[in-house]
Each structure stands twice: as C-alpha cells, then as structure tokens.
Amino acid sequence: MSSRPLYLKPRGAAQPVPWEEIAVDAPEVSPQTPLADAQFVALDVETTGNSPFLVLEIGAERFTLDRTLSFFDALVDCRAPINPYAKKRHHIDRSMLIGAPEFKDARRGFLRFAQGAVLVEHSHDAFDTWLVGRGLESPLEHPIIDTTALARLVLDLPKGQTPGLARLVEELGLDVTPAHAALDDARATAMVFRALIARARELLSWNTVGEVLAALPRPVVDRTATRRGPAAGPARGAPGRTTPPRSAAPAATPRATSPAPSGRRGRSSRRRRSGSSGSPGGSRA
C-alpha cells in the first residue's frame, strides 16, 4: 500500500482533513478464531443511484463483540451525476463532495482500516463489498458475513425474505436509527450483528468464525451483463456473479485505524453530523 498522506472528508466537514491512523494489534483471523477474539468491520456505502453505481460515501465501524474500536467516514468525489431519488434518500449533493478524495484514495484508506478483519454488510446480494472490491486486481480477501442471511437463520424468517436494516433494529430493540448515511448505517449494522451473534451463540452454540461462515454461504451474482465499462456495475438485486466467499482471512498485521469517539454516541441521525467537522476518526474508545 502507498504511504502517501491520506486526506478524507467526512460527512459534515467543511474541508478535507488528514486521516489520523492509529496502529492496533489484531489476532490472525482464521476459521478457527473464536468469535470473542475476532475483529469485525461493518461496512455501508452510498452511491450515485445511476448505473454504473459509483460510490459517494464509505462508512465503517471496526469492532469486537464487546466494544467499538474505531470509525471510518469518507465522502467520495466520483465526478458523476447523482440520481434525484438517491439524493432524497442519502442527502448527498455535489457541493458536499468538493475536496473529497477520489474513490481509489478513499478505498485505499478503507482497506487499511479493515485489514485483517471480518467484513460485515447488510446486503443480501453482496452489493456493498462488491462496490468496494470492484476494479481491484484481486478480489477482497476478507471473510464476509451478511446480516440479512444471519437474521433469516437466527430469527427463523421465511426463506427468501430479505429483512431491512430498520426492521431488524426495531425487532432487536436497538438504540440506533438507520438514516441512509454510510457511517450511521454501518453503526446500525454492527449493532444488529452483535445482537444476532449473541442469539446464535446461545441457540446454535457457535463459537468460531468458521462456524458462522459455513452456515451463511455467499450469494452467486453475475453482474457482467449490466456493465458499461471497467468501472460499471448493476443495481442492488440485479442478477449476476461475484467471487465465491472466502473461508479464511489473511494473516492480520498491525494496522492503522481512525480511533472511535469516546463515550456512547446514542441515536444515530443525519442531522447529528450535518454540522460537524474534524477528523474521520475521533478520540480513542
């Protein structure tokens, strides 16, 4: 990875700010890694809403089952039109993207942030992780867990049903509100994952990362039919194919992250961060 300085622009920041990287040691993640020892990264992205669905925002929370470790929050200047319907959902307009990094730089930071972790997404068709991995010379190496599939199994939902993030938050009684802002929804995904894994460990006696991965096979989606070029991609739910799931993560090494803000942030809302500024990290958890 390049060592050149990385500037990110979190939602609500007036100007790009240096990404503060803090080295955190993590155990090597493998199928045998106890869930209690593993580190996870919940990921959410917002897009232009137009094919080829370019990324406008990446939000992520790095966490263990018992605490938050750090956050990643970056707008992305893809220099492309934003679908009006998508804009009404995520409230990202062109003025917010002035000074934001290009996708390749924002992704570079995210991959460093997520190194050695299990990725968690609320995406039944692997759309978020596919968008981040699109264009890489090799696909993402991380194990990936989808909370929609986990919820169907743990909550015994009807086969084929895809529960929305807001529904799961309500059903699990969690104190967070998904807001179609990448970091907010990543935080909600992390909370849903913790709650579902707690139930799975009780009901199914899961103890290792490998047991979760084996029970939740990744979808096979062929997205080549809707591509319009090297960077193109389909809408969520389009038929297609992605790389088969990995059963193990590469050996984790000490890596840099942005620290998690101290204290409980409480209910998540777009309004809460709309006037904020500062680094994409915050104070150590």
Side-chain angles (χ1 to χ4, degrees), residues 44-57:
D44 188 80
V45 303
E46 302 296 340
T47 77
T48 57
N50 297 316
S51 181
F53 299 94
L54 303 179
V55 173
L56 292 175
E57 185 178 35

PDB file of all heavy atoms in Angstrom, residues 44-57:
ATOM      1  N   ASP A  44     -20.889   0.138   5.047  1.00  0.00           N
ATOM      2  CA  ASP A  44     -22.030   0.600   4.273  1.00  0.00           C
ATOM      3  C   ASP A  44     -21.547   1.653   3.283  1.00  0.00           C
ATOM      4  O   ASP A  44     -20.624   2.427   3.593  1.00  0.00           O
ATOM      5  CB  ASP A  44     -23.115   1.191   5.178  1.00  0.00           C
ATOM      6  CG  ASP A  44     -24.390   1.484   4.395  1.00  0.00           C
ATOM      7  OD1 ASP A  44     -25.162   0.542   4.151  1.00  0.00           O
ATOM      8  OD2 ASP A  44     -24.614   2.655   4.014  1.00  0.00           O
ATOM      9  N   VAL A  45     -22.150   1.674   2.100  1.00  0.00           N
ATOM     10  CA  VAL A  45     -21.811   2.681   1.094  1.00  0.00           C
ATOM     11  C   VAL A  45     -23.080   3.345   0.586  1.00  0.00           C
ATOM     12  O   VAL A  45     -24.162   2.763   0.618  1.00  0.00           O
ATOM     13  CB  VAL A  45     -21.025   2.077  -0.095  1.00  0.00           C
ATOM     14  CG1 VAL A  45     -19.753   1.397   0.382  1.00  0.00           C
ATOM     15  CG2 VAL A  45     -21.887   1.109  -0.892  1.00  0.00           C
ATOM     16  N   GLU A  46     -22.928   4.586   0.124  1.00  0.00           N
ATOM     17  CA  GLU A  46     -23.985   5.284  -0.603  1.00  0.00           C
ATOM     18  C   GLU A  46     -23.475   5.537  -2.015  1.00  0.00           C
ATOM     19  O   GLU A  46     -22.276   5.758  -2.219  1.00  0.00           O
ATOM     20  CB  GLU A  46     -24.343   6.610   0.085  1.00  0.00           C
ATOM     21  CG  GLU A  46     -24.802   6.483   1.529  1.00  0.00           C
ATOM     22  CD  GLU A  46     -26.104   5.714   1.687  1.00  0.00           C
ATOM     23  OE1 GLU A  46     -26.860   5.594   0.683  1.00  0.00           O
ATOM     24  OE2 GLU A  46     -26.375   5.233   2.806  1.00  0.00           O
ATOM     25  N   THR A  47     -24.388   5.484  -3.004  1.00  0.00           N
ATOM     26  CA  THR A  47     -23.973   5.581  -4.401  1.00  0.00           C
ATOM     27  C   THR A  47     -24.740   6.669  -5.145  1.00  0.00           C
ATOM     28  O   THR A  47     -25.686   7.265  -4.634  1.00  0.00           O
ATOM     29  CB  THR A  47     -24.198   4.242  -5.153  1.00  0.00           C
ATOM     30  OG1 THR A  47     -25.592   4.094  -5.469  1.00  0.00           O
ATOM     31  CG2 THR A  47     -23.726   3.066  -4.321  1.00  0.00           C
ATOM     32  N   THR A  48     -24.335   6.870  -6.397  1.00  0.00           N
ATOM     33  CA  THR A  48     -24.994   7.842  -7.269  1.00  0.00           C
ATOM     34  C   THR A  48     -26.417   7.421  -7.624  1.00  0.00           C
ATOM     35  O   THR A  48     -27.232   8.257  -8.010  1.00  0.00           O
ATOM     36  CB  THR A  48     -24.213   8.010  -8.567  1.00  0.00           C
ATOM     37  OG1 THR A  48     -24.079   6.734  -9.218  1.00  0.00           O
ATOM     38  CG2 THR A  48     -22.827   8.603  -8.311  1.00  0.00           C
ATOM     39  N   GLY A  49     -26.737   6.139  -7.510  1.00  0.00           N
ATOM     40  CA  GLY A  49     -28.065   5.652  -7.871  1.00  0.00           C
ATOM     41  C   GLY A  49     -28.259   5.470  -9.349  1.00  0.00           C
ATOM     42  O   GLY A  49     -29.337   5.042  -9.794  1.00  0.00           O
ATOM     43  N   ASN A  50     -27.251   5.778 -10.154  1.00  0.00           N
ATOM     44  CA  ASN A  50     -27.298   5.581 -11.598  1.00  0.00           C
ATOM     45  C   ASN A  50     -26.260   4.549 -11.999  1.00  0.00           C
ATOM     46  O   ASN A  50     -25.138   4.573 -11.484  1.00  0.00           O
ATOM     47  CB  ASN A  50     -26.985   6.888 -12.346  1.00  0.00           C
ATOM     48  CG  ASN A  50     -28.003   7.979 -12.078  1.00  0.00           C
ATOM     49  OD1 ASN A  50     -29.206   7.725 -12.076  1.00  0.00           O
ATOM     50  ND2 ASN A  50     -27.524   9.204 -11.865  1.00  0.00           N
ATOM     51  N   SER A  51     -26.600   3.642 -12.907  1.00  0.00           N
ATOM     52  CA  SER A  51     -25.595   2.739 -13.440  1.00  0.00           C
ATOM     53  C   SER A  51     -24.514   3.582 -14.107  1.00  0.00           C
ATOM     54  O   SER A  51     -24.849   4.515 -14.868  1.00  0.00           O
ATOM     55  CB  SER A  51     -26.235   1.793 -14.458  1.00  0.00           C
ATOM     56  OG  SER A  51     -25.280   0.893 -14.957  1.00  0.00           O
ATOM     57  N   PRO A  52     -23.244   3.361 -13.767  1.00  0.00           N
ATOM     58  CA  PRO A  52     -22.654   2.183 -13.123  1.00  0.00           C
ATOM     59  C   PRO A  52     -22.557   2.237 -11.593  1.00  0.00           C
ATOM     60  O   PRO A  52     -21.693   1.602 -11.018  1.00  0.00           O
ATOM     61  CB  PRO A  52     -21.260   2.140 -13.727  1.00  0.00           C
ATOM     62  CG  PRO A  52     -20.900   3.588 -13.907  1.00  0.00           C
ATOM     63  CD  PRO A  52     -22.186   4.253 -14.305  1.00  0.00           C
ATOM     64  N   PHE A  53     -23.418   3.001 -10.903  1.00  0.00           N
ATOM     65  CA  PHE A  53     -23.492   2.993  -9.442  1.00  0.00           C
ATOM     66  C   PHE A  53     -22.132   3.263  -8.786  1.00  0.00           C
ATOM     67  O   PHE A  53     -21.508   2.387  -8.226  1.00  0.00           O
ATOM     68  CB  PHE A  53     -24.100   1.684  -8.943  1.00  0.00           C
ATOM     69  CG  PHE A  53     -25.487   1.478  -9.449  1.00  0.00           C
ATOM     70  CD1 PHE A  53     -25.720   0.755 -10.595  1.00  0.00           C
ATOM     71  CD2 PHE A  53     -26.567   2.048  -8.792  1.00  0.00           C
ATOM     72  CE1 PHE A  53     -27.004   0.590 -11.096  1.00  0.00           C
ATOM     73  CE2 PHE A  53     -27.856   1.895  -9.280  1.00  0.00           C
ATOM     74  CZ  PHE A  53     -28.077   1.159 -10.440  1.00  0.00           C
ATOM     75  N   LEU A  54     -21.698   4.512  -8.906  1.00  0.00           N
ATOM     76  CA  LEU A  54     -20.418   4.915  -8.347  1.00  0.00           C
ATOM     77  C   LEU A  54     -20.587   5.312  -6.885  1.00  0.00           C
ATOM     78  O   LEU A  54     -21.629   5.821  -6.469  1.00  0.00           O
ATOM     79  CB  LEU A  54     -19.842   6.077  -9.154  1.00  0.00           C
ATOM     80  CG  LEU A  54     -19.652   5.784 -10.649  1.00  0.00           C
ATOM     81  CD1 LEU A  54     -19.103   7.011 -11.362  1.00  0.00           C
ATOM     82  CD2 LEU A  54     -18.747   4.579 -10.865  1.00  0.00           C
ATOM     83  N   VAL A  55     -19.540   5.069  -6.107  1.00  0.00           N
ATOM     84  CA  VAL A  55     -19.582   5.280  -4.664  1.00  0.00           C
ATOM     85  C   VAL A  55     -19.458   6.768  -4.330  1.00  0.00           C
ATOM     86  O   VAL A  55     -18.563   7.463  -4.809  1.00  0.00           O
ATOM     87  CB  VAL A  55     -18.465   4.482  -3.975  1.00  0.00           C
ATOM     88  CG1 VAL A  55     -18.383   4.821  -2.484  1.00  0.00           C
ATOM     89  CG2 VAL A  55     -18.685   2.981  -4.167  1.00  0.00           C
ATOM     90  N   LEU A  56     -20.370   7.262  -3.481  1.00  0.00           N
ATOM     91  CA  LEU A  56     -20.337   8.637  -2.994  1.00  0.00           C
ATOM     92  C   LEU A  56     -19.863   8.730  -1.545  1.00  0.00           C
ATOM     93  O   LEU A  56     -19.407   9.790  -1.118  1.00  0.00           O
ATOM     94  CB  LEU A  56     -21.742   9.255  -3.062  1.00  0.00           C
ATOM     95  CG  LEU A  56     -22.346   9.512  -4.433  1.00  0.00           C
ATOM     96  CD1 LEU A  56     -23.774  10.018  -4.281  1.00  0.00           C
ATOM     97  CD2 LEU A  56     -21.516  10.507  -5.228  1.00  0.00           C
ATOM     98  N   GLU A  57     -19.994   7.632  -0.793  1.00  0.00           N
ATOM     99  CA  GLU A  57     -19.655   7.682   0.630  1.00  0.00           C
ATOM    100  C   GLU A  57     -19.358   6.279   1.132  1.00  0.00           C
ATOM    101  O   GLU A  57     -20.045   5.324   0.753  1.00  0.00           O
ATOM    102  CB  GLU A  57     -20.823   8.278   1.424  1.00  0.00           C
ATOM    103  CG  GLU A  57     -20.540   8.486   2.909  1.00  0.00           C
ATOM    104  CD  GLU A  57     -21.705   9.127   3.634  1.00  0.00           C
ATOM    105  OE1 GLU A  57     -22.875   8.838   3.282  1.00  0.00           O
ATOM    106  OE2 GLU A  57     -21.450   9.913   4.569  1.00  0.00           O
TER     107      GLU A  57
END
